[in-house]
Amino acid sequence: MPKLTSVYRLDDIESWEEAIAVAGLTIRRGGLVAFPTETVYGLGANALDEAAVAGIFRAKSRPPNDPLIAHIADFQQLSQIAEDAPPIAFEVAQRFWPGPLTLVLKKSKRIPANLTAGLGSVAVRMPSHEVALALIREAGVPIAAPSANLFSRPSPTSAQHVIDDLDGLVDVLLDGGETPIGVESTILSLIDDRPRVLRPGGISLEGLRAVVPDLRFAPSYLRDDAPAAPAPGGLLRHYSPNARVLLFEGADDAQVYTAMRAEIARHERVGVLASDAEAAAFADLNVIVERLGANSEEAAQRLFAALRSLDQRELDVILARAPRKAGLGLAVWDRLLRASVGCLVKV
Ligand code: AMP
Ligand code: MG
């Protein structure tokens, strides 16, 4: 018999209490719970239970060399996850937790090896979403959770996206509506001499630099010392829709739009991801435009839903203009680059 996913909508106090109680029990018994965070939906299991963590990799078809993030609800739980955290870790945590910042630290011995893909370091964050915090507290253990999508698909920003990918593969889904930030956390590694941002995300680089002045932006696809095999989780191919994504980059609006229009003319079924301001440049063409709003916060919030929506239209190609790499724009740029598997057209 196929397993069923129990879906709880967190509309009122009564449904909330029952849902959190069932979900917390499910985690304690080694099951899987999908839940909203302020970034995207997570697929959670008891971070201290190796078999439960293995269930996450199975449900997502995630390769075992891609480590997970452990989620905590208070500072005491940090000692179950990490050891020898340097002083800078506490400074950034004080400033940005709860919130969309993940720290990579030396791993505690209590953490099962599969959670960290065998690495000596571990990724940890304290989310700010009230459902995520209530779930971790109710479960009484840290919760390991990657994004609740099938491996390499766009991350889920609504309960429907989780159902589309994982119905029957997860025990409980907590439906808390759309996630407010829409892109994953910023990952800051504090295990080397110099702090390194491995993935841009919900906390801007500018904001982090105010606390960590010697920060380096070093996602694995930009590192010159990148090993032959990509670093764990640094795979360029990610967030990919089925259609090919082409990313256009250039300073001159008119030149970029001309290049994009020429590309559109080469295909039958074309989707375009465009900000409100850019959409007008394609209004006279037979293309499907998904609007990403007026600024980088709106673009981050809408990006994955827009990619999923275009994906259902059986398109030949999806075009987007690379956003400015400021604020949340850097995270949007990173996700688009990875959705395009590096297909960057410089204009
Ligand atoms: P997801 O929650 O799906 O975005 O996946 C978590 C991501 O965290 C992984 O893909 C890695 O990029 C990153 N990560 C987790 N643990 C580590 C670690 N120990 N070192 C470096 N990156 C990590
Ligand atoms: Mg993910």
Side-chain angles (χ1 to χ4, degrees):
M1 260 230 322
K3 250 181 27 172
L4 292 177
T5 295
S6 309
V7 183
Y8 291 86
R9 284 186 52 176
L10 303 169
D11 294 334
D12 53 52
I13 276 288
E14 266 164 48
S15 57
W16 166 284
E17 282 178 3
E18 188 199 341
I20 297 293
V22 171
L25 189 63
T26 302
I27 294 281
R28 283 200 296 282
R29 287 184 173 163
L32 297 181
V33 176
F35 61 99
T37 78
E38 74 278 26
T39 59
V40 301
Y41 273 75
L43 177 60
N46 180 353
L48 306 177
D49 176 345
E50 183 160 22
V53 169
I56 295 178
F57 286 91
R58 229 178 5 254
K60 287 193 58 147
S61 306
R62 183 176 175 107
N65 68 348
D66 194 359
L68 311 180
I69 295 173
H71 293 70
I72 58 176
D74 56 54
F75 278 91
Q76 270 94 54
Q77 280 182 319
L78 186 57
S79 59
Q80 294 181 293
I81 309 282
E83 280 176 9
D84 305 332
I88 187 72
F90 295 97
E91 282 171 44
V92 286
Q94 284 294 347
R95 171 71 183 78
F96 295 106
W97 281 0
L101 177 70
T102 294
L103 300 180
V104 174
L105 300 167
K106 190 174 156 206
K107 156 190 184 305
S108 135
K109 289 175 192 65
R110 297 189 61 181
I111 293 291
N114 57 352
L115 188 151
T116 65
L119 297 173
S121 60
V122 65
V124 56
R125 89 173 182 103
M126 190 189 295
S128 64
H129 199 290
E130 56 181 350
V131 173
L133 289 171
L135 173 64
I136 301 165
R137 287 195 189 109
E138 178 72 20
V141 289
I143 294 184
S147 49
N149 52 290
L150 285 174
F151 179 67
S152 96
R153 293 262 299 144
S155 295
T157 56
S158 72
Q160 186 59 49
H161 296 162
V162 179
I163 289 290
D164 291 344
D165 278 16
L166 297 175
D167 194 17
L169 297 172
V170 33
D171 300 302
V172 174
L173 164 60
L174 300 175
D175 179 351
E178 287 186 12
T179 55
I181 293 178
V183 288
E184 300 86 344
S185 57
T186 300
I187 301 182
L188 173 64
S189 172
L190 297 174
I191 54 172
D192 307 323
D193 317 343
R194 231 175 118 183
R196 285 198 292 137
V197 166
L198 303 180
R199 174 177 78 186
I203 297 290
S204 73
L205 234 50
E206 297 89 332
L208 259 186
R209 278 224 169 85
V211 184
V212 191
D214 60 339
L215 193 69
R216 272 199 308 155
F217 178 56
S220 61
Y221 53 81
L222 286 186
R223 283 172 60 188
D224 348 319
D225 62 337
L235 312 166
L236 189 57
R237 182 180 175 77
H238 218 91
Y239 315 108
S240 334
N242 296 318
R244 207 153 68 91
V245 177
L246 293 175
L247 192 58
F248 287 74
E249 192 163 58
D252 186 280
D253 290 350
Q255 279 179 16
V256 172
Y257 298 147
T258 302
M260 290 174 77
R261 290 172 70 96
E263 185 64 38
I264 288 169
R266 287 189 203 113
H267 304 273
E268 293 266 308
R269 296 181 57 82
V270 182
V272 176
L273 291 165
S275 69
D276 292 348
E278 289 159 3
F282 309 100
D284 59 321
L285 299 180
N286 180 23
V287 292
I288 298 164
V289 178
E290 278 286 336
R291 288 169 79 134
L292 295 181
N295 53 48
S296 58
E297 285 77 18
E298 289 181 8
Q301 210 274 326
R302 296 180 191 184
L303 176 69
F304 288 133
L307 280 171
R308 280 176 179 262
S309 157
L310 288 177
D311 221 12
Q312 289 170 350
R313 312 283 201 111
E314 301 198 352
L315 302 169
D316 304 322
V317 66
I318 297 171
L319 273 55
R321 182 175 184 184
R324 280 189 55 228
K325 295 178 203 154
L328 283 196
L330 181 64
V332 175
W333 172 84
D334 168 271
R335 304 308 184 268
L336 283 171
L337 181 72
R338 295 166 73 177
S340 77
V341 203
C343 283
L344 190 64
V345 183
K346 301 237 185 200
V347 181

